[in-house]
Structure formats: C-alpha cells, structure tokens
Amino acid sequence: MAAVVSPRSLDWIPGDQELLRHYDDMTSEGLLIGPESAHYHTNVLRLAQKYTYLRNTLLSTAALHLSRSTTRNAHHATQHLHHLTSALHNFQEAISLPLLRSASDALIITSFLITIQYFSLPDSSSLRPESSWIYSASPTRLSWLSVQQGTSALLGKFRPHHCENRMLLHFSPPKPSPRPSPNSSTRTLPDSFFTLCNVTDPMGQPGCHQNPYHDPVHALYRLLPLPTGRRSLSKYLHFVSRMYAPFIQLVERNDHRALLILGYWFALICGVGEEVWWCWGRARRDCWAICEVLNREAGEEVRDLVGFMEGACGFEREEGEENRVVRSRDYARSENEFQGVDCD
C-alpha cells in the first residue's frame, strides 16, 4: 500500500512552506470545499508538484485566507497577488494548448480554486446587502460570476471522460432520486418552481437545452436533498458548471426567475457556516439582497417561493423599524467578525 503523501514531504520552495502548511490546515478543517477525502487531498498535492498553475493557485488561496484572518494581512495580500498572477498566467498558457486528458484533473481543480478566490468578498465593508451587485449599475458587476464560466467550459471539454474520474466525483452530486412523497421530511425543490421556470423535460445533456433555466433548475433539484452544512459544500460547487451564458444574461438583467434560482443556491451556501470564509459572506449578503428585490418587485408566483431563501439568510419580509435595527445590528456583528481568528 502506497504511503500517504504529506505536504511536508513534497518538493516545495522553502519560502512557500508557510502557505503550504496553512493550505493543509485549512483544508483539513474543511474550510475550503468542505471535508476532503485522503485520496482527493493527496492527489491534489501530487498534481500541484507537477503543474505550476495548480501549485500557484493553492498558494494564492492560502495567502488570501491568511490576508483575511491575520494581523499580517498586508504581507499575505502581497503573497496572494503574486501567486494568483502567476497562476492565471500559467493557467492561460495551459488552456491555450491542446487539452490533454492527463491534465484534466489539474486544470479543473485550478479552475474551481480560481473561482473561489473571485467569489470571495474583498473586505468587511462589502457585507452589507446594499453593496450587492444587484443594486449596482457597473458593467463589471457580474465579473465574479463570469469567472465561473471557465469551469463550465473546461468541464464541457473533458465531459467525455471526466465522469469516470474518481477525483471529480468529489464535486458531483448524487443522481436525482424519485421525488419524495408530500409527507416526507426530505428537502426538495417545489413543483411550482419547475412550473414557474417552464422546466418540463428531463435533465438530459448539459448545456444543450433551449430553456436557459433548464440546467440550473435541475442542478438545484439534485442539491436540495443533500445534508445541510459544510459536508455538502463541494457538491454545491457543482452548480457553477450549470450556469451557461444565456442564464448569465438573464441574471445581468435582474430577471426575477434567474435571481430566484441564484438565490436558492446562495441559500444553500448560507448553511455551511461563517467559518467557510470565502463563500458565506457573499452568499448571505446576496441572498438577502435578492429577497429584498423579489419581495418588492416580483409577482406573487415568485414571492411564494422566496421563503426558503428568507429562512437561510435571516431576512425579515415585513421590515418595520424594529426589524431594521435587528438587521443593522446583525450585519454589524458579521462585519466585526469578518477578520476571523488570528492564525499565526
């Protein structure tokens, strides 16, 4: 039986050892994509030895977390920028060449980790709902979402064989099961959600259906029955590979059905907990902002489906003066805790 690879036993540049140790600690606590199997974790480290774009992406991810959670944030922010710049350069070179099956794991994991970094909010001032992209008129307001499209494109290129790959199974949700009975306690997507989005066909081949809501709605249907919390986070990431350009265009227009779909995904991520530093803040903020917009502007058939999101992010539908004080205090607490604990 092969020995388990320890990060300390790998051939890394000495100056990167601090970041590597932090990456190892962070992932062992499930603070990146939830609990990682020994097989997945060991192979990611092995691949990072071989592929510089993955190595720099691991290091930039660790540096980003340290920049948010230690008093040496300026130093770690510099490290993050250095490694991310190198990672993006190497990654761009790699995907400009013919894509080899042998590199598929490294490329897709790199893509996932890059999207994680762009998903993360820049600072605590961005936590308030009014700072959400939903209220912005900037032409780059969805840049964080556009980055996710790289993962979809890569998965599409490797789809003929990636389903047989054990590493990528770490991110794939289970196959959809029969719809539970009305009296079942299993969480599921309401029938009215499918009706609202006119999703009537089976899931089929991803990225081929003319209905832009088809793929993300089916993705949600597979995700909702999963256990709430961090152990399902890697499965939640599967959703980004089901957001194709026509759907993104609807989000760009603040289309109510597209916002509802995205809001349900944010609601799922709200359940992973504040400790998951890169996603919880954005998910809660944007879930809250979507609740505000839909309750104010959407039709009754959409508003009737917002309750799941409200419960996940703590939104108060009837927002009087008292609730506004609670909301303000709640977000102030979140902002104060944004820096997290000192990891030095």
Side-chain angles (χ1 to χ4, degrees):
M1 181 176 178
V4 175
V5 174
S6 163
R8 282 77 172 174
S9 70
L10 297 177
D11 182 21
W12 294 77
I13 298 172
D16 294 335
Q17 285 294 328
E18 177 201 16
L19 295 179
L20 177 61
R21 284 194 297 271
H22 186 71
Y23 176 84
D24 191 43
D25 292 340
M26 179 174 57
T27 52
S28 68
E29 296 175 15
L31 299 183
L32 192 60
I33 59 171
E36 297 182 3
S37 67
H39 169 80
Y40 173 84
H41 185 70
T42 298
N43 278 284
V44 168
L45 293 173
R46 283 199 176 110
L47 288 168
Q49 277 197 292
K50 183 176 181 180
Y51 299 101
T52 56
Y53 50 82
L54 177 55
R55 179 187 310 138
N56 281 309
T57 305
L58 296 188
L59 297 175
S60 64
T61 304
L64 178 61
H65 182 231
L66 284 169
S67 73
R68 303 287 174 78
S69 57
T70 74
T71 55
R72 298 171 60 202
N73 53 3
H75 167 69
H76 294 304
T78 300
Q79 287 184 307
H80 169 247
L81 180 61
H82 166 72
H83 287 295
L84 180 60
T85 301
S86 298
L88 292 172
H89 175 74
N90 297 146
F91 184 66
Q92 187 63 43
E93 282 189 338
I95 61 177
S96 67
L97 301 172
L99 300 180
L100 302 176
R101 177 173 179 171
S102 59
S104 63
D105 286 345
L107 287 169
I108 291 174
I109 293 168
T110 298
S111 181
F112 269 124
L113 293 179
I114 289 173
T115 63
I116 280 174
Q117 295 181 60
Y118 277 89
F119 193 90
S120 174
L121 292 175
D123 53 56
S124 60
S125 65
S126 304
L127 282 171
R128 302 187 71 83
E130 52 266 32
S131 68
S132 173
W133 51 270
I134 296 170
Y135 296 119
S136 172
S138 169
T140 61
R141 70 191 189 105
L142 287 181
S143 58
W144 65 272
L145 186 56
S146 300
V147 173
Q148 322 296 316
Q149 296 303 288
T151 300
S152 298
L154 280 175
L155 286 173
K157 288 182 179 295
F158 290 125
R159 184 163 286 117
H161 57 262
H162 91 264
C163 292
E164 64 192 49
N165 189 315
R166 289 181 59 199
M167 285 193 68
L168 295 185
L169 290 177
H170 190 74
F171 296 94
S172 298
K175 293 182 179 179
S177 55
R179 181 171 290 278
S181 66
N183 296 326
S184 172
S185 60
T186 302
R187 186 176 62 188
T188 189
L189 201 63
D191 289 335
S192 54
F193 208 113
F194 286 85
T195 302
L196 175 69
C197 298
N198 196 29
V199 175
T200 58
D201 295 330
M203 183 165 59
Q205 187 73 10
C208 297
H209 205 280
Q210 291 185 341
N211 181 347
Y213 307 112
H214 176 89
D215 287 292
V217 167
H218 275 289
L220 283 180
Y221 177 66
R222 297 177 68 182
L223 294 177
L224 255 72
L226 296 177
T228 300
R230 200 183 305 176
R231 56 182 170 162
S232 295
L233 179 55
S234 64
K235 311 299 184 184
Y236 294 160
L237 293 178
H238 170 82
F239 184 81
V240 304
S241 68
R242 294 295 179 261
M243 292 189 290
Y244 297 98
F247 178 77
I248 301 297
Q249 291 168 8
L250 292 171
V251 176
E252 179 68 49
R253 300 200 296 266
N254 277 6
D255 172 85
H256 292 159
R257 287 179 288 182
L259 290 182
L260 182 71
I261 292 169
L262 199 57
Y264 264 61
W265 183 54
F266 287 140
L268 290 172
I269 297 176
C270 284
V272 305
E274 297 179 58
E275 298 83 3
V276 186
W277 55 280
W278 64 269
C279 64
W280 183 86
R282 177 185 290 279
R284 184 166 183 260
R285 181 200 72 176
D286 290 347
C287 185
W288 188 297
I290 290 174
C291 287
E292 287 182 331
V293 169
L294 295 184
N295 276 306
R296 184 174 62 245
E297 301 176 4
E300 183 178 358
E301 70 279 8
V302 172
R303 296 198 308 272
D304 286 345
L305 291 166
V306 174
F308 172 66
M309 297 156 51
E310 293 173 339
C313 68
F315 180 83
E316 295 284 352
R317 183 177 293 211
E318 298 296 331
E319 193 172 16
E321 289 298 324
E322 180 180 352
N323 286 330
R324 271 196 286 272
V325 172
V326 171
R327 167 182 148 179
S328 176
R329 186 186 307 123
D330 199 22
Y331 269 94
R333 180 185 64 81
S334 297
E335 290 171 12
N336 291 335
E337 294 176 356
F338 187 86
Q339 293 298 327
V341 297
D342 194 327
C343 296
D344 277 348

